[in-house]
Amino acid sequence: MKAILTKTTGLTDRPFHYCPGCTHGIIHRLIGELLEEMNLIEKTIGVAPVGCSGFCEHYFSCDMIGAAHGRAVAVATGAKRARPDRFIFTYQGDGDGASIGLAETMSAAARGERITSIFVNNCIYGMTGGQMAPTSLIGQKTSTSPYGRDAETMGYPLDLPKVLTQIEGAVYVASVSVDSPQAIKEAKKVLRKAFQVQLDGLGYSFVSILSTCPTNWGVNPVEALEWLQTKMKPHFALGELKVPVVRGGNES
Amino acid sequence: MKNLVKINTERCKSCGLCVHACPKKILGIGEFANNKGYYVIEMKDQSKCIACAFCALICPDLVLEVYREEKGA
Amino acid sequence: MRQGMALLMKGNEAIAEAAIQAGCRLFYGYPITPSTEIPEYMAKKMKAVGGTYLQAESEVAAIYMVFGAGAVGERVMTGTSSPGFSLMQEGLSYLFAAEIPCVIVDVMRGGPGLGGLGPTQADYFQLTKGGGHGDYHAIVIAPSSVQEMVNLTKEAFDLADYYRNLVIIAVDGILGQMMEPVEFPPSEGRKLEPKTWAANGAEGRPKNNVISYYLTPELGEVENKRWGDKMSLIKENEQHFVEYEMDDADYAFVAFGTSARITETAVDMLREEGIKVGLYRPVTLWPFPEKGLLARVNQIKGWMSIELSAGQMVEDVKLVINGQAPVSFYGRQGGMTPEPEEVVAAFKAQLLGGAQV
């Protein structure tokens, strides 16, 4: 029989602790598969955030470093400058990358750091129990915006990938989602390109992935996909928002 | 069997995403609970499976592996 | 620059040169007075030796870049001054828990707040008790001359690697800025184990995780005990101090860094008057060199801590002396430094005039 989709060596055997239907697991698998397919596992150092995916050091088969909240991109910068021959990615949630870590994300982009950031945006802070995130939508009820996010006092959701397209050192910026098998296939293609941009030494690559949080949105996993499709997608720019002038390698 | 979907029942969390994603609607939540207490998914009719792997694509927990029967040379 | 040649160098630059000679090829920092010469020297010199100088966006970012480079097993340094050191405190706690070797320089200036640019020693509590959270310690080294800054910076990298612990070189702003003749003698260094724990790419070996959390309180206690044992080992082996005129002393000053140099003159002045006084100079602030103090506790009738602060180290002196003799204090703040005459006067008033506990 021909294997169509089997377990990747890019992930360990440890069962994921994530909530049922949480899309972190899908994204982990895409990364693991790419590390395996692109022969990167032994050369990779991943940097984990603080958040639900703060334990992902145990899920990827490559060497991993656990960073402080928001500092994964700084840690990755330090590691990459120390070992430019290694493939280094950060994996961060919306708080880690766009709130407490916003300065580090944007500064690394400005410097054109040869690292790849994977930004998992579910419009909420999951690990700490469902507080408002910088990406939370106007009117969205969270535990710290119990009456709904009010633009007057709490500002507007931040579309970080859109902002990063303005930074010269950020040479590949994409925004995808994992709400359907088709979207997942597209997300993997985009991640592969982002990885290749790093391998080609072109600059900072950033992939934002719209994701679900059924538990804190208060819906079941299938409803969460719909919430993502109908409520989130209209508010965030989607697609390959910026590509390098010199295309990043082939798609073998 | 034409194609095969292997199910790692201990990893299943009964989230239902694969049931939703399957275009042939041949996956369902079963009546068997695994060690974590989740009612795991089951294949209702493997003969209808087209090995599209949509189920394995959308599964967040590495529960599913999909194999396609090799056509004759 | 050949080893074995004497040069007139500024303290900050000497530290940077010593780091490079110790094999450090990575420096991440942010400018802040009075430590800016460190990143500037690194920016110029690293290129020549094939190293990397990277200016971080803040001290917060800098300490985490240090974390990343150290986690992949490379020698790495950052340098800053008091407000920047405050920004790094969370990072220090993380560096300790993840057991990442690194060297951090704190050139202390006036505080609190934005403060002033003059020299102080008022980061002592932060340095030794931890401005970061949790039960942790950095090894803290306090040179008091540019030559010591060279020797001890070189050693700092070995210490950091040997114990897998962060090491901080703590000087006041005067030492950072002063110029003294300095040599770079070749040194043997410690025998060090390869960094098999580093997360530098799992080539031909099982993967490594460099993390700083634990999943259960039970594990948390086990980890903390293990770190505590490491601290006990360091306390046992790495207390360093220098004594000046202590052998026949009736009284003793305790001072480090620039205040030690000033106090040495005060000792000479008092000795000229026939008063038998000595200076006990800690070279490590953590571990605090209790051994030497305890060895003299039956001999010394009164101690006086001289600091550029409101009196921080004096608390550690009191803890060690434990009521067996009076311990007093004299200091200046805000960047001011005492004249030796002031130290003499304070000594006479407090320890000779009327005993203070």
Side-chain angles (χ1 to χ4, degrees):
Chain A
M1 302 211 84
K2 179 171 179 233
I4 301 297
L5 207 163
T6 54
K7 186 182 166 299
T8 172
T9 55
L11 295 175
T12 66
D13 288 330
R14 188 124 154 197
F16 297 156
H17 71 283
Y18 304 113
C19 294
C22 168
T23 52
H24 267 313
I26 302 174
I27 302 167
H28 283 18
R29 194 193 65 241
L30 297 182
I31 295 170
E33 286 171 354
L34 284 169
L35 292 180
E36 179 186 357
E37 289 162 24
M38 298 171 82
N39 247 313
L40 287 173
I41 297 173
E42 290 193 333
K43 284 188 282 210
T44 297
I45 303 161
V47 185
V50 170
C52 288
S53 51
F55 309 128
C56 71
E57 299 97 343
H58 303 287
Y59 303 142
F60 294 108
S61 310
C62 55
D63 275 359
M64 297 288 297
I65 305 172
H69 195 24
R71 314 300 173 209
V73 176
V75 170
T77 296
K80 184 77 184 193
R81 296 301 183 115
R83 290 300 300 266
D85 59 313
R86 290 331 203 191
F87 177 80
I88 301 188
F89 72 90
T90 69
Y91 189 102
Q92 298 174 276
D94 33 40
D96 211 89
S99 184
I100 183 171
L102 187 60
E104 281 75 33
T105 304
M106 295 190 68
S107 299
R111 290 189 303 261
E113 292 298 333
R114 273 72 165 162
I115 60 180
T116 304
S117 284
I118 294 141
F119 178 72
V120 178
N121 177 8
N122 58 13
C123 291
I124 205 154
Y125 286 178
M127 176 58 125
T128 40
Q131 296 79 33
M132 193 180 88
T135 46
S136 293
L137 308 172
I138 301 297
Q140 185 181 343
K141 291 193 174 146
T142 70
S143 70
T144 50
S145 60
Y147 313 110
R149 182 174 192 161
D150 164 26
E152 181 74 21
T153 55
M154 305 171 201
Y156 301 88
L158 180 67
D159 191 342
L160 183 56
K162 206 159 129 185
V163 172
L164 291 176
T165 59
Q166 302 304 304
I167 299 180
E168 202 169 324
V171 303
Y172 184 80
V173 182
S175 171
V176 292
S177 89
V178 285
D179 60 282
S180 69
Q182 292 85 348
I184 293 166
K185 286 183 183 177
E186 184 58 34
K188 186 171 177 180
K189 280 198 200 129
V190 158
L191 281 166
R192 180 188 293 277
K193 285 189 183 176
F195 286 13
Q196 193 59 49
V197 160
Q198 180 179 162
L199 294 173
D200 292 342
L202 301 177
Y204 185 64
S205 52
F206 183 93
V207 178
S208 168
I209 308 183
L210 297 185
S211 309
T212 65
C213 182
T215 301
N216 289 304
W217 292 352
V219 294
N220 73 42
V222 173
E223 287 169 345
L225 294 183
E226 214 192 287
W227 203 95
L228 195 171
Q229 286 158 356
T230 56
K231 296 223 164 66
M232 279 173 71
K233 277 185 167 175
H235 294 281
F236 296 101
L238 289 169
E240 290 182 294
L241 307 178
K242 187 176 181 189
V243 297
V245 172
V246 175
R247 272 222 162 248
N250 58 42
E251 287 179 66
S252 54
Chain B
M1 284 190 201
K2 188 162 141 238
N3 298 318
L4 181 62
V5 173
K6 278 197 201 164
I7 300 173
N8 182 338
T9 54
E10 284 312 301
R11 287 190 77 119
C12 179
K13 292 176 184 157
S14 204
C15 72
L17 291 183
C18 61
V19 174
H20 167 79
C22 174
K24 293 298 178 186
K25 298 296 163 213
I26 52 178
L27 290 168
I29 309 256
E31 297 195 342
F32 163 71
N34 64 17
N35 284 333
K36 293 227 164 78
Y38 290 112
Y39 287 103
V40 306
I41 51 113
E42 58 182 14
M43 170 58 77
K44 296 193 290 193
D45 191 346
Q46 183 70 76
S47 68
K48 293 214 174 88
C49 173
I50 56 171
C52 68
F54 278 15
C55 55
L57 273 170
I58 207 157
C59 173
D61 284 285
L62 315 181
V63 173
L64 299 158
E65 289 193 318
V66 179
Y67 299 85
R68 175 176 295 144
E69 190 195 39
E70 303 267 29
K71 298 283 159 79
Chain C
M1 173 171 323
R2 291 195 306 278
Q3 290 191 344
M5 187 169 82
L7 288 167
L8 194 62
M9 280 192 96
K10 183 181 271 207
N12 284 337
E13 299 188 344
I15 285 184
E17 178 59 34
I20 290 175
Q21 292 199 18
C24 175
R25 292 292 177 268
L26 296 159
F27 183 91
Y28 307 108
Y30 192 83
I32 178 170
T33 309
S35 61
T36 302
E37 289 85 358
I38 303 176
E40 287 178 338
Y41 189 93
M42 288 295 191
K44 263 208 287 239
K45 201 65 193 301
M46 274 297 189
K47 203 163 176 188
V49 299
T52 298
Y53 164 79
L54 179 60
Q55 187 157 306
E57 55 272 30
S58 72
E59 290 87 342
V60 170
I63 195 67
Y64 285 106
M65 291 181 188
V66 165
F67 187 98
V72 305
E74 300 296 320
R75 288 197 157 182
V76 59
M77 174 189 253
T78 186
T80 188
S81 298
S82 311
F85 187 63
S86 286
L87 286 175
M88 294 183 177
Q89 297 307 300
E90 185 207 48
L92 305 187
S93 175
Y94 273 74
L95 284 162
F96 176 87
E99 300 192 72
I100 292 177
C102 59
V103 176
I104 297 150
V105 185
D106 180 17
V107 184
M108 293 180 273
R109 63 182 253 178
L114 187 53
L117 305 179
T120 71
Q121 297 175 327
D123 295 354
Y124 182 93
F125 283 151
Q126 254 186 332
L127 288 159
T128 59
K129 311 298 170 196
H133 57 285
D135 290 315
Y136 81 96
H137 282 289
I139 299 172
V140 184
I141 300 177
S144 78
S145 68
V146 180
Q147 186 62 61
E148 268 196 350
M149 286 155 93
V150 164
N151 301 343
L152 296 174
T153 298
K154 279 178 135 185
E155 245 185 78
F157 285 94
D158 275 5
L159 264 180
D161 284 349
Y162 187 81
Y163 289 107
R164 275 188 70 181
N165 208 74
L166 62 156
V167 177
I168 304 177
I169 313 274
V171 295
D172 51 73
I174 285 185
L175 285 167
Q177 294 295 316
M178 76 196 305
M179 297 187 76
E180 290 188 312
V182 64
E183 291 187 336
F184 292 85
S187 49
E188 182 144 326
R190 296 188 183 221
K191 181 168 182 309
L192 298 167
E193 297 299 316
K195 295 180 181 177
T196 53
W197 51 265
N200 48 16
E203 256 178 310
R205 61 158 171 78
K207 64 167 270 174
N208 286 334
N209 289 336
V210 175
I211 57 183
S212 69
Y213 61 81
Y214 37 83
L215 291 173
T216 64
E218 288 79 1
L219 271 173
E221 187 162 56
V222 166
E223 285 293 87
N224 270 279
K225 280 218 157 94
R226 187 171 62 79
W227 296 325
D229 290 343
K230 184 160 76 166
M231 294 303 102
S232 298
L233 189 63
I234 295 174
K235 263 177 139 169
E236 187 54 41
N237 296 334
E238 305 299 342
Q239 293 182 30
H240 296 294
F241 58 93
V242 171
E243 291 185 323
Y244 180 70
E245 304 276 7
M246 284 293 290
D247 283 338
D248 67 338
D250 293 325
Y251 296 91
F253 291 104
V254 185
F256 67 94
T258 290
S259 56
R261 296 170 71 130
I262 296 168
T263 307
E264 240 182 62
T265 305
V267 165
D268 292 341
M269 289 166 70
L270 286 162
R271 285 257 170 192
E272 249 163 60
E273 294 182 42
I275 300 167
K276 289 203 246 159
V277 100
L279 165 64
Y280 186 82
R281 176 165 75 83
V283 175
T284 52
L285 301 181
W286 200 91
F288 189 69
E290 347 175 301
K291 285 188 200 178
L293 279 174
L294 288 169
R296 302 275 186 202
V297 79
N298 293 325
Q299 170 196 339
I300 301 296
K301 293 191 262 190
W303 303 82
M304 181 173 235
S305 176
I306 307 295
E307 302 172 60
L308 304 179
S309 73
Q312 298 187 11
M313 181 179 66
V314 63
E315 294 190 4
D316 282 342
V317 179
K318 283 184 179 176
L319 273 172
V320 175
I321 302 304
N322 204 18
Q324 292 177 83
V327 177
S328 51
F329 162 81
Y330 181 74
R332 299 296 299 269
Q333 294 176 271
M336 297 298 288
T337 53
E339 297 293 322
E341 290 78 6
E342 288 173 54
V343 176
V344 167
F347 170 83
K348 286 177 173 171
Q350 294 185 45
L351 284 181
L352 296 189
Q356 252 188 47
V357 180

